[in-house]
Amino acid sequence: DVSVSSSELHSRIRDELGLNPEISRDEMASVLRQELLRTHLTLREYSDQIRALVLSDKLLEKIEGSVPPEGEQVYLRMIQAGSQANALLAKQKLDGGADFAAVAAEHSSDASSAKGGEIGWTPRGVLEPKLEEAAFSTRGRSAVIETELDYYIIEVRDQAVFRIDPASIEEIGKASLNRMVADADKVHP
C-alpha cells in the first residue's frame, strides 16, 4: 500500500517552493499563497498535484527496489521509422543488403540514429511490451514491428544475463510507472 502522510505532503510542498525546513508556518503560508496566485490553483488542486508527485516517487522507489540485481539483456540496434511506409522502405533496403547503421541514420527518428541505431545493452522492462517481446525472442534482424507508438525494425546482436546498472534500473522503474499510468488512463479516461 502506497500513501502520503500529511507530514510528507508538507515537506514536499516546502521542497517544491524551495523553502528551508526551518521556515515558520506563517512564512510558508505566505509563500504558498503567492504560489497559488501565480499558478491560479486552489490549495486543494496544488496539494493534489504535490501528493501525486510524492506517490509517483514512492511507486518508482518501490518498483526500482523490486528489480533483481541481474537480468536478461539484449544488445540492440533499432530503427524507429515514424510510419509504416518508412518502416517498409527501410526493411526493403536492409533486405537488399544495405548496412543497418546507414539505414538507421537515414530512416530512424530515434536519437540513436546518429549512432547507426546503436542502443546497446538493454534489460527486460525498458522497452514497450511488443518491442520487448520481439527483442527477447529475435536473433539477428526483425521484421517490421508495429507497436502502439510507432513502427520499428530491430537487430539483436547478442543476449546475456548480467548485472543491471543503476541507470537501467531507473529506466525500468520509469517505464513500468508510465505503463501503470497508461493502463489506469485506459480504465479511467
Side-chain angles (χ1 to χ4, degrees):
D1 185 37
V2 180
S3 61
V4 179
S5 70
S6 60
S7 66
E8 290 172 319
L9 181 63
H10 290 116
S11 176
R12 183 62 177 263
I13 288 173
R14 250 193 326 274
D15 292 346
E16 291 295 319
L17 295 173
L19 301 174
N20 183 318
E22 307 304 318
I23 194 167
S24 75
R25 190 172 179 88
D26 289 341
E27 290 173 305
M28 182 174 164
S30 174
V31 174
L32 180 56
R33 267 191 298 280
Q34 291 172 1
E35 180 67 6
L36 294 175
L37 289 171
R38 186 187 71 75
T39 59
H40 304 289
L41 295 172
T42 66
L43 178 58
R44 181 166 193 88
E45 291 167 335
Y46 186 80
S47 295
D48 286 347
Q49 286 183 359
I50 300 301
R51 184 176 288 105
L53 289 173
V54 174
L55 282 171
S56 176
D57 289 349
K58 284 183 161 191
L59 282 171
L60 191 57
E61 185 177 314
K62 193 172 188 172
I63 293 166
E64 289 174 358
S66 71
V67 175
E70 286 190 345
E72 188 178 14
Q73 301 186 42
V74 289
Y75 195 87
L76 193 61
R77 293 201 300 183
M78 178 176 76
I79 297 170
Q80 181 177 354
S83 71
Q84 184 178 28
N86 193 37
L88 293 171
L89 180 59
K91 180 69 172 142
Q92 183 179 27
K93 288 181 179 183
L94 292 168
D95 290 346
D99 177 62
F100 193 97
V103 175
E106 182 181 348
H107 292 277
S108 184
S109 60
D110 188 72
S112 68
S113 65
K115 301 180 292 180
E118 198 80 27
I119 301 294
W121 287 104
T122 305
R124 281 193 184 275
V126 172
L127 302 170
E128 59 180 296
K130 278 188 176 180
L131 199 53
E132 181 171 288
E133 181 183 325
F136 285 90
S137 64
T138 300
R139 296 296 166 267
R141 192 172 301 137
S142 73
V144 172
I145 303 162
E146 180 182 354
T147 71
E148 288 184 25
L149 299 177
D150 211 334
Y151 293 86
Y152 299 87
I153 300 168
I154 59 172
E155 184 177 81
V156 177
R157 302 181 86 181
D158 200 0
Q159 187 169 4
V161 174
F162 50 81
R163 189 153 194 75
I164 300 175
D165 65 90
S168 292
I169 290 173
E170 191 175 317
E171 281 185 64
I172 292 168
K174 287 178 181 176
S176 296
L177 187 58
N178 288 339
R179 282 193 293 274
M180 287 171 63
V181 170
D183 290 347
D185 284 347
K186 288 177 188 172
V187 175
H188 304 287

